[in-house]
Amino acid sequence: MKNYLIALAAASTAGGALAQSSLTLFGVVDAAVTYTKGSGNGSAHKTQLTNSGNMFSRLGFRGTEDLGGGYSANFWLEMGLQNDSGTGFPSNSNNQASGNGTAGVLSFNRRSTVSLAGPFGELRLGRDYVPAFWNTAIFDPFGTGGGIGANQIYFSGLGGLVAPTGTRASNSIGYLLPASLGGFYGQVMYAMGENDSNSVLPGTRVSNEHDGDHTGARFGYQSGGLNIALATGRTRYASGDLRVTNLGASYTFDASLMNLKLTSELYKESKGSTDAKGALIGLQLPIGPGEIKASYARYRLEPVGATLKPTSSKLAIGYVHNLSKRTALYATIARISNSNGASQALSGAITAPNRASSGTEFGMRHMF
Amino acid sequence: MKNYLIALAAASTAGGALAQSSLTLFGVVDAAVTYTKGSGNGSAHKTQLTNSGNMFSRLGFRGTEDLGGGYSANFWLEMGLQNDSGTGFPSNSNNQASGNGTAGVLSFNRRSTVSLAGPFGELRLGRDYVPAFWNTAIFDPFGTGGGIGANQIYFSGLGGLVAPTGTRASNSIGYLLPASLGGFYGQVMYAMGENDSNSVLPGTRVSNEHDGDHTGARFGYQSGGLNIALATGRTRYASGDLRVTNLGASYTFDASLMNLKLTSELYKESKGSTDAKGALIGLQLPIGPGEIKASYARYRLEPVGATLKPTSSKLAIGYVHNLSKRTALYATIARISNSNGASQALSGAITAPNRASSGTEFGMRHMF
Amino acid sequence: MKNYLIALAAASTAGGALAQSSLTLFGVVDAAVTYTKGSGNGSAHKTQLTNSGNMFSRLGFRGTEDLGGGYSANFWLEMGLQNDSGTGFPSNSNNQASGNGTAGVLSFNRRSTVSLAGPFGELRLGRDYVPAFWNTAIFDPFGTGGGIGANQIYFSGLGGLVAPTGTRASNSIGYLLPASLGGFYGQVMYAMGENDSNSVLPGTRVSNEHDGDHTGARFGYQSGGLNIALATGRTRYASGDLRVTNLGASYTFDASLMNLKLTSELYKESKGSTDAKGALIGLQLPIGPGEIKASYARYRLEPVGATLKPTSSKLAIGYVHNLSKRTALYATIARISNSNGASQALSGAITAPNRASSGTEFGMRHMF
């Protein structure tokens, strides 16, 4: 994302040497007209103006101060926007359901960090993405946008993506490897639920002191057209830990194969003793100023002792037409199929168990 | 409103050709000391620090990207401010009362849009003003500010201005005519309530699938000193649609008549089968670096079968002293009279039926 | 605090003469890992990522317009940040508990003002710091940050600091003396609770029309190494007024005494007929690029007719290592002791009556 620099150099703050210091205002405003429908008894359809079909809408402030010797101080404050209605997204204060904010309020829910970077890597404090989120975002051709293209079927199961720590964690300490490791990259995170040492589950004597404590790591390798990464995360809850592990890989062919990019992800999550598994394959194909995208994903819930394992699969096909590097028009069609009692539907629709849900969206995304 | 450009040209984003691209931070901070009182049994007076007496306080971010060929991509994010207490205004997510946000929170309630503009006009997506609002704002010398001058007697009747879609609508698709039509201008809007197809009024089988769907249009002509516009809007509710229609006109005389501007508006609204009618006349007279403003308005509620039609009228007189193009001091006096059982009062006061309410405000407005 | 100017001169707004006009985006992001513990029955410890240990985290927009002749128009919008979780702080709309906003929402709670400044001083409207707050902030080596160093033992008594008007007041009219008075400085404030004239305490006929009305003043003298100031404030409540009076003084020695700075404050507050008293002494000692800070404070509650006067004392020692003018690393240790039934604890800990609480924090603060 290319952004405006509010001041190219903070020359006034500490002499002319800080040539790399900058303060940047940036954002995305993305809106689409979306129609989704279900099928079967009690199904419902809806037409909406939605946000974030191509990229999540946001407004942010970030800055870098060059401290010399390869060191820098950095901050990043980024809020999510529901620009169809001018509202935002609440953050979560303690990585537990009790810390959820009020729906629709503005907050720097997407990222709120201060960090010290240098030859050693980066030490980052605040609210940030959990390591295990990145594979689900990066190896899905549709990212994890709010639109119908992104692989939302992971969202409705055990909560690996929608739990308080599914995407981001508050109260985190993160360490990221430096960029100069010959293609190897990686990060670890520890985040705190911040319950005090006396804390117990309501009405019990069961300690939940460590509820909301999150540990995560991600390591990968990128070279030439290849990118591959393994990530895992665990959030402690007295009611049963939430664990997510995934492996993502992509390969971008050269011009002789039209710069085609293939992506894939294997995904596993568990909440207490219940497991779920997912997988995704995708492609991205540049066509002139545009790009064709497609993905196919499956998600299967595996309740303990259940004879049926509810399974959903999703196919999404999209085209993005770039009007400039910052602005694009896009169209997406998607379909979710269900079996073994599953009833996942595209956002806005309701579908009966074992029945399908489908939808279409047309939108515009603008970055600044 | 004159604003600061954060970057005059986004030369770095797509080459030097995008000379018109810009990102702008803008706002208004307006505060006044206001005294209002009522009369009769149970009446009350209040002294307050109020906001927005001259212009609504706000903070916004907007930008334009020149796409070439007369086309541009645009975004606009603007929040209302209650700067007397540092709070804001919630937005509404679904054009229905159920979508109202929490009082006082910040949101981009005033406008939150992304748009594509070109020779064809402008296609705009998001939260925006409804077409029928503009005549009430533009043809009132006091605008629709939060102060005692603006024509708030429309606000307390059927809700044409304070309903979720009275001023703005979320989830809207708007089309605006291009500027090059020889003085003719116009816009249409369709906004969605976004209820799903199964939705019913609570406890009934009455479908309210279309509650909050809004359709509006405004067309006008401006040439020389003349400006005239007709607008209408309809918001669907299973409990009875809300309809607003108004006609506004103004004429600005030349220097031989001291650049006097006369304004007027006729206003009609209905909620279900109840009607209400309003009218306003006003004047604006430049005096050196300042301006004298005055308005007289009437509003009559017409309940079905009622023998009495509650009627309120309002007189407001103000003076605005410009310290610069961006900063002004102002003073306003206003009086509301009631008859046929009406009991409208200036904000902060309580008045008995058929009794008057009056008030005074002194304030300062600063734009940036 | 050194900030980026978004535009050094608003030359476009009113000709080249407005050389001093500016619009500034500024902020602080400060995070620390903090461990606090208590002692005795029922005590609890906690490890947290905290914000604002060195300076309160914030994001702000402010601007000045040069009006000529020594006059200027100014605005200041500043929100507090809980950057450990990306949330904020609510404001208060009426200087009474009933006007508290929802926990965690963003607002311009720290300051939201518009003002006219000139040779006469400054007239300021909006939400601003109450005069009596400043001595507690300025004469504490740790300021009144959210960390364990600042003198929070004043916070838990009668509420002189945490009441709606403890730190700031909404709906205020402030006047500040000009800077050119030979070292004398001062300010007065009147802020309104904005109850209407009919308002009564719930379930009674006792008028609370003036609840939340605040009157405050502060006058001081600064010359050479000396700074001394006296301040007082009164907030009216039908249930008993809240009064705060304090006297602060500091002296900064010259290089022959290593630029050592000594600070002190005497503090008295009362709520209705209950009194409380506090005192603080502190020091700040520059050491190369860093600074050592220490403070000792006492606070005694004096309930009417009580034989025991709950007393807490606090010792804090810190070191701040400046990486640049904008960025610092810091470490603090602190201990609160209690007697006569008091049980104050460092934030996050719980301690038994008459027992101690202690803690440690390590953090990073970045200004922009």
Side-chain angles (χ1 to χ4, degrees):
Chain A
M1 198 183 325
K2 207 70 190 74
N3 301 296
Y4 287 81
L5 294 180
I6 289 180
L8 281 166
S12 64
T13 63
L18 303 192
Q20 299 303 315
S21 297
S22 65
L23 177 60
T24 303
L25 172 65
F26 65 98
V28 173
V29 186
D30 179 334
V33 177
T34 303
Y35 173 78
T36 55
K37 66 175 180 181
S39 47
N41 268 347
S43 67
H45 58 85
K46 190 189 283 195
T47 306
Q48 303 172 79
L49 191 77
T50 52
N51 61 74
S52 311
N54 181 265
M55 288 181 66
F56 250 112
S57 296
R58 70 195 74 175
L59 176 67
F61 308 86
R62 65 171 190 253
T64 294
E65 181 195 17
D66 189 332
L67 297 170
Y71 286 83
S72 64
N74 305 275
F75 81 95
W76 192 300
L77 296 169
E78 182 179 326
M79 59 172 58
L81 296 180
Q82 303 203 55
N83 48 291
D84 44 342
S85 61
T87 57
F89 293 92
S91 188
N92 175 288
S93 60
N94 65 4
N95 302 331
Q96 300 161 66
S98 61
N100 284 335
T102 306
V105 303
L106 296 176
S107 74
F108 293 106
N109 67 306
R110 291 180 62 83
R111 183 167 161 191
S112 165
T113 60
V114 60
S115 72
L116 185 66
F120 71 93
E122 183 178 354
L123 184 65
R124 205 183 270 180
L125 303 176
R127 178 172 177 81
D128 198 7
Y129 294 87
V130 297
F133 166 77
W134 286 115
N135 286 344
T136 299
I138 290 172
F139 298 104
D140 181 345
F142 293 91
T144 51
I148 64 172
N151 180 20
Q152 66 185 0
I153 58 174
Y154 291 3
F155 291 24
S156 308
L158 295 178
L161 279 176
V162 294
T165 57
T167 301
R168 303 170 185 92
S170 289
N171 316 313
S172 80
I173 305 166
Y175 167 71
L176 293 88
L177 290 175
S180 55
L181 297 178
F184 287 98
Y185 58 85
Q187 66 179 112
V188 293
M189 173 189 274
Y190 175 66
M192 292 171 271
E194 300 191 342
N195 291 345
D196 71 40
S197 56
N198 286 351
S199 185
V200 291
L201 285 182
T204 76
R205 292 176 146 198
V206 178
S207 170
N208 69 350
E209 175 184 355
H210 294 291
D211 273 27
D213 288 358
H214 178 86
T215 316
R218 179 171 184 255
F219 293 96
Y221 177 73
Q222 182 163 24
S223 180
L226 177 70
N227 189 10
I228 182 166
L230 177 68
T232 188
R234 171 196 179 206
T235 311
R236 294 175 68 177
Y237 295 108
S239 62
D241 292 352
L242 176 65
R243 291 166 190 269
V244 173
T245 300
N246 50 45
L247 173 68
S250 68
Y251 193 84
T252 306
F253 294 92
D254 60 18
S256 67
L257 273 168
M258 299 172 66
N259 298 307
L260 173 68
K261 182 180 184 179
L262 298 180
T263 68
S264 62
E265 189 204 10
L266 295 174
Y267 180 91
K268 180 177 184 304
E269 63 182 0
S270 60
K271 178 77 174 72
S273 56
T274 305
D275 292 339
K277 296 195 180 90
L280 174 142
I281 53 171
L283 68 83
Q284 292 173 254
L285 182 66
I287 300 284
E291 185 184 52
I292 290 177
K293 306 193 293 188
S295 71
Y296 177 76
R298 284 178 72 88
Y299 179 82
R300 186 175 63 188
L301 202 55
E302 302 181 342
V304 178
T307 52
L308 284 177
K309 296 175 177 172
T311 303
S312 303
S313 62
K314 181 178 176 193
L315 177 68
I317 301 171
Y319 173 66
V320 180
H321 185 80
N322 293 300
L323 298 175
S324 73
K325 290 183 180 174
R326 295 163 52 199
T327 303
L329 305 178
Y330 61 91
T332 313
I333 56 171
R335 179 181 169 89
I336 293 178
S337 303
N338 294 289
S339 60
N340 293 341
S343 62
Q344 291 210 40
L346 293 169
S347 179
I350 301 170
T351 204
N354 303 320
R355 301 296 296 267
S357 168
S358 59
T360 312
E361 76 187 359
F362 297 94
M364 174 179 178
R365 179 262 298 151
H366 176 66
M367 296 192 291
F368 57 94
Chain B
M1 199 180 324
K2 206 71 189 77
N3 300 298
Y4 288 80
L5 294 181
I6 290 180
L8 281 166
S12 64
T13 63
L18 303 191
Q20 299 304 316
S21 297
S22 65
L23 177 61
T24 303
L25 172 65
F26 65 97
V28 173
V29 186
D30 179 334
V33 177
T34 304
Y35 173 78
T36 55
K37 66 176 181 181
S39 48
N41 269 347
S43 68
H45 58 85
K46 190 188 282 194
T47 306
Q48 302 173 80
L49 192 76
T50 51
N51 62 72
S52 312
N54 180 264
M55 287 181 66
F56 250 112
S57 296
R58 70 194 74 175
L59 176 67
F61 307 87
R62 64 170 192 253
T64 293
E65 181 195 16
D66 189 332
L67 297 171
Y71 286 83
S72 64
N74 304 275
F75 81 95
W76 192 299
L77 297 168
E78 181 179 325
M79 60 171 57
L81 297 179
Q82 303 203 55
N83 49 290
D84 43 342
S85 62
T87 58
F89 292 92
S91 188
N92 175 287
S93 60
N94 66 2
N95 303 331
Q96 300 161 64
S98 61
N100 284 334
T102 305
V105 304
L106 297 175
S107 73
F108 294 107
N109 67 305
R110 291 180 61 84
R111 184 169 160 191
S112 165
T113 59
V114 60
S115 73
L116 185 66
F120 71 93
E122 182 179 353
L123 184 65
R124 205 183 271 181
L125 303 177
R127 178 172 175 82
D128 198 7
Y129 294 86
V130 296
F133 166 77
W134 285 116
N135 286 344
T136 299
I138 291 172
F139 298 104
D140 181 345
F142 294 90
T144 52
I148 64 171
N151 181 20
Q152 66 185 0
I153 58 175
Y154 291 2
F155 291 25
S156 308
L158 295 178
L161 279 175
V162 295
T165 57
T167 301
R168 303 170 186 92
S170 289
N171 316 313
S172 80
I173 305 166
Y175 168 70
L176 292 87
L177 289 175
S180 54
L181 297 178
F184 286 98
Y185 58 86
Q187 66 180 114
V188 293
M189 173 188 275
Y190 175 66
M192 292 171 271
E194 299 191 343
N195 291 345
D196 71 39
S197 58
N198 285 351
S199 185
V200 290
L201 285 181
T204 75
R205 292 174 145 201
V206 178
S207 169
N208 68 349
E209 175 184 356
H210 294 291
D211 274 26
D213 287 358
H214 177 85
T215 317
R218 179 171 183 255
F219 293 96
Y221 177 73
Q222 182 163 25
S223 179
L226 177 70
N227 189 10
I228 183 167
L230 178 68
T232 188
R234 171 195 179 207
T235 312
R236 293 175 67 175
Y237 295 107
S239 62
D241 292 353
L242 175 66
R243 292 165 188 268
V244 173
T245 301
N246 50 45
L247 173 69
S250 68
Y251 193 84
T252 306
F253 294 92
D254 61 18
S256 68
L257 273 168
M258 300 172 67
N259 298 307
L260 173 69
K261 181 179 184 181
L262 297 181
T263 68
S264 63
E265 190 204 10
L266 294 175
Y267 180 90
K268 181 175 184 305
E269 63 183 0
S270 60
K271 177 80 175 70
S273 56
T274 304
D275 293 339
K277 295 194 179 92
L280 173 142
I281 52 170
L283 67 84
Q284 291 172 255
L285 182 66
I287 301 283
E291 185 183 54
I292 290 176
K293 306 193 291 189
S295 71
Y296 178 77
R298 285 179 73 89
Y299 179 81
R300 187 175 63 189
L301 201 56
E302 301 180 343
V304 178
T307 51
L308 284 178
K309 297 176 177 173
T311 303
S312 302
S313 62
K314 181 176 176 195
L315 177 68
I317 301 171
Y319 174 66
V320 180
H321 185 79
N322 292 301
L323 298 175
S324 74
K325 289 182 182 176
R326 295 164 53 200
T327 303
L329 304 178
Y330 61 91
T332 313
I333 56 172
R335 179 183 171 88
I336 293 178
S337 304
N338 292 289
S339 59
N340 294 341
S343 61
Q344 290 210 42
L346 293 169
S347 179
I350 301 171
T351 205
N354 303 319
R355 300 297 297 267
S357 168
S358 60
T360 311
E361 77 187 358
F362 297 93
M364 175 179 178
R365 179 263 297 152
H366 176 66
M367 296 191 291
F368 58 96
Chain C
M1 198 181 325
K2 206 73 189 72
N3 301 298
Y4 288 79
L5 293 182
I6 290 179
L8 281 166
S12 64
T13 62
L18 303 192
Q20 299 303 314
S21 297
S22 66
L23 177 61
T24 303
L25 172 65
F26 65 97
V28 172
V29 186
D30 178 334
V33 177
T34 303
Y35 172 78
T36 55
K37 66 175 181 179
S39 47
N41 270 345
S43 68
H45 58 85
K46 189 188 283 194
T47 305
Q48 302 172 79
L49 192 77
T50 52
N51 61 73
S52 312
N54 180 264
M55 288 181 68
F56 251 112
S57 295
R58 70 195 74 175
L59 176 66
F61 308 86
R62 65 170 190 255
T64 293
E65 181 195 17
D66 189 331
L67 296 171
Y71 286 83
S72 65
N74 305 274
F75 81 95
W76 192 299
L77 297 169
E78 182 179 324
M79 60 171 57
L81 297 179
Q82 303 203 55
N83 48 291
D84 43 342
S85 61
T87 58
F89 292 92
S91 188
N92 175 287
S93 61
N94 65 4
N95 303 330
Q96 301 162 62
S98 62
N100 284 334
T102 306
V105 303
L106 297 175
S107 73
F108 293 107
N109 67 306
R110 292 181 60 83
R111 185 168 159 191
S112 165
T113 59
V114 60
S115 72
L116 185 67
F120 71 93
E122 183 179 355
L123 184 65
R124 205 183 270 181
L125 302 176
R127 178 172 175 83
D128 197 7
Y129 294 88
V130 296
F133 166 77
W134 286 114
N135 286 343
T136 299
I138 291 172
F139 298 105
D140 181 346
F142 294 90
T144 51
I148 65 172
N151 181 20
Q152 65 184 0
I153 58 174
Y154 291 2
F155 291 24
S156 309
L158 295 178
L161 279 176
V162 294
T165 57
T167 301
R168 304 170 186 91
S170 290
N171 316 314
S172 80
I173 305 166
Y175 167 70
L176 293 87
L177 290 174
S180 55
L181 297 178
F184 286 98
Y185 58 86
Q187 67 180 112
V188 293
M189 173 188 275
Y190 175 66
M192 291 171 273
E194 299 190 345
N195 291 345
D196 71 39
S197 58
N198 285 351
S199 184
V200 290
L201 285 181
T204 75
R205 293 178 144 196
V206 178
S207 169
N208 68 350
E209 175 183 356
H210 294 290
D211 274 26
D213 287 358
H214 177 86
T215 316
R218 180 171 182 254
F219 293 96
Y221 177 73
Q222 183 163 25
S223 179
L226 178 70
N227 190 9
I228 183 166
L230 178 67
T232 189
R234 172 197 180 205
T235 313
R236 294 175 67 175
Y237 296 107
S239 62
D241 292 353
L242 175 66
R243 291 165 189 269
V244 173
T245 300
N246 51 45
L247 173 68
S250 68
Y251 193 83
T252 307
F253 294 93
D254 61 18
S256 67
L257 273 168
M258 299 172 66
N259 298 308
L260 173 68
K261 182 180 183 179
L262 298 181
T263 68
S264 63
E265 190 203 10
L266 294 174
Y267 180 90
K268 181 176 184 304
E269 64 183 0
S270 60
K271 178 77 175 72
S273 56
T274 305
D275 292 339
K277 295 195 180 89
L280 174 143
I281 53 172
L283 68 83
Q284 291 172 256
L285 182 66
I287 301 283
E291 185 184 54
I292 290 176
K293 306 193 292 188
S295 71
Y296 178 77
R298 283 179 74 88
Y299 179 82
R300 187 174 62 190
L301 202 55
E302 302 181 342
V304 179
T307 52
L308 284 176
K309 296 176 176 172
T311 303
S312 303
S313 62
K314 181 176 177 196
L315 177 67
I317 300 172
Y319 173 66
V320 180
H321 185 80
N322 293 300
L323 298 175
S324 74
K325 289 182 182 176
R326 295 163 52 199
T327 303
L329 305 178
Y330 62 89
T332 313
I333 56 171
R335 179 182 171 90
I336 294 178
S337 304
N338 294 290
S339 60
N340 295 340
S343 62
Q344 291 210 39
L346 293 169
S347 179
I350 300 171
T351 204
N354 303 320
R355 299 296 297 265
S357 168
S358 60
T360 312
E361 76 186 359
F362 298 93
M364 175 179 178
R365 178 262 299 152
H366 176 65
M367 297 192 292
F368 58 94

